[in-house]
Amino acid sequence: MSTFPIDQDTSAPSTKNVGEPATDPALTLMTMPVSALLKRAPVTLPPQTTIRAAAQLMSEQRVSSILILEQDHLFGLITDRDLRNRVIATGLDTQRPIMDIATLAPFFVNLNDPAFNALLLMARHNIHHVPVLDGQRVAGMITATDLTEQHSTSAVYLAGDIYKQTTVEGLQRASTRIRALQQSLAAADATAYNTGHIITAITDAITTRLLQLGEARLGPAPVDYVWVAAGSQARSEQTARTDQDNCMVLDDAFDEALHGDYFRQLTQFVCTGLDACGYVFCPGEMMAMTDTWRQPRARWAEYFRRWTSEPEPKALMLTCVFFDLRAIHGQTSLLDGLRHDVLQRTRGNTLFLAHMVGNALTHQPPLGFFKGLSPARSGEHKGTINLKHNGVVPIVDLARVYALAGGHAEVNTHDRLLSAADGGDISAQSARDLRDALEFLAALRIQHQARQMAQGEAPDNFLDPAEISNFERTQLTDAFQVVQTLQSVLSNRYKF
């Protein structure tokens, strides 16, 4: 097998004429280290410092936040927003210690991380200050303003606007900006890998806000739960066109008679809200509002046990959705233990894996007898290639098999392939070929959708090969051949 000639980190299909100027050079944040954004030494205080003293220091140093250290380790942080909301607005005594108003154990990034990681944290969690660590040492703080100077914070501010909304109608209006965000990223030549993470971060924010609004309407949840994304949202691989796949894992203290109505109303509110925001209802009803997919942890454990021990066709279809899971909101430990148990069951389970491979082979690259492109010959999309189902999905399926076979916890397809190579489940060269093929196909899909949106059309996955250059058609053929070759390898490895 020849190496697919694309560098995953930098290559993408042509971005000309996608309808948006390159005003959001997101690649800067994707390649720039966090260290390049640090402008000053960190301003720190011990947790026993009074609120008044901290406010005076913030004024003197002209900073909007202070890091709290305990024995030179990060303890927490306070921001000017904390002073407004937790002190002034509540009339709190300013002689109390800052630990009373601090955000403890805050999210952080490492000194050598891409600045893009900080952007994602801010977008996903509606925060504007992120501590920077160098090992265990506190190196500084970066803020949304620091990122603003790089002109790449549209995702951060869109997420911030989402968290300000108090109605579903407001969220619906905010969600209309997602398409423009994808167009902007496409114009900036952002990789598909990073575009998927950014677009998915916005979906996470909308989902979380809907859950918050639902709880405000219905009251606090009677037992712990975790809202879980499945499918492309779980893998952080979404584009502007997607439906919703989600579920809910409830604490085993759940009692249907006592708690069932609450969670039925909450999930109905969230799923209906997602649909209003453009994340259409799953055609297969794989959503938390469906009773089957809103269950206590013990029932979920039984689902996975049955699916892995009795891999009949419907079970295999469900595993393709529900083996890609990521916690979005709630008690995340409910999912962590469940995922660990699942991976213990699938690792080395050759019969189950053989069924998974057989199911994966139902999605074949569109290649003819002589390995050339073979567009659809009939139907509504005659003459086109389905970039999702015949291009991206086969690679997603392969990576899922590698992850389940090796017991790897990663969910993102690119990350799964890296782990599979590290674990020896696939050669480093084959893993790179698949990553490059995935990046090319996914980026081609994003560019195709950006062109459609620029022309006022609804985005889809159906590419007319005449839409791209001869060079890109050659690369497209190479990508499909990589997928076909690796499908053949797996089918020979796992046989009934």
Side-chain angles (χ1 to χ4, degrees), residues 35-52:
S35 58
L37 296 176
L38 295 181
K39 298 177 179 178
R40 59 180 299 166
V43 180
T44 67
L45 286 172
Q48 296 78 22
T49 307
T50 67
I51 295 171
R52 180 179 179 82

Side-chain angles (χ1 to χ4, degrees), residues 226-247:
V226 60
W227 183 278
V228 181
S232 61
Q233 184 183 359
R235 298 191 303 272
S236 295
E237 294 169 3
Q238 287 193 309
T239 66
R241 177 183 172 82
T242 187
D243 57 7
Q244 54 176 294
D245 292 307
N246 48 61
C247 60

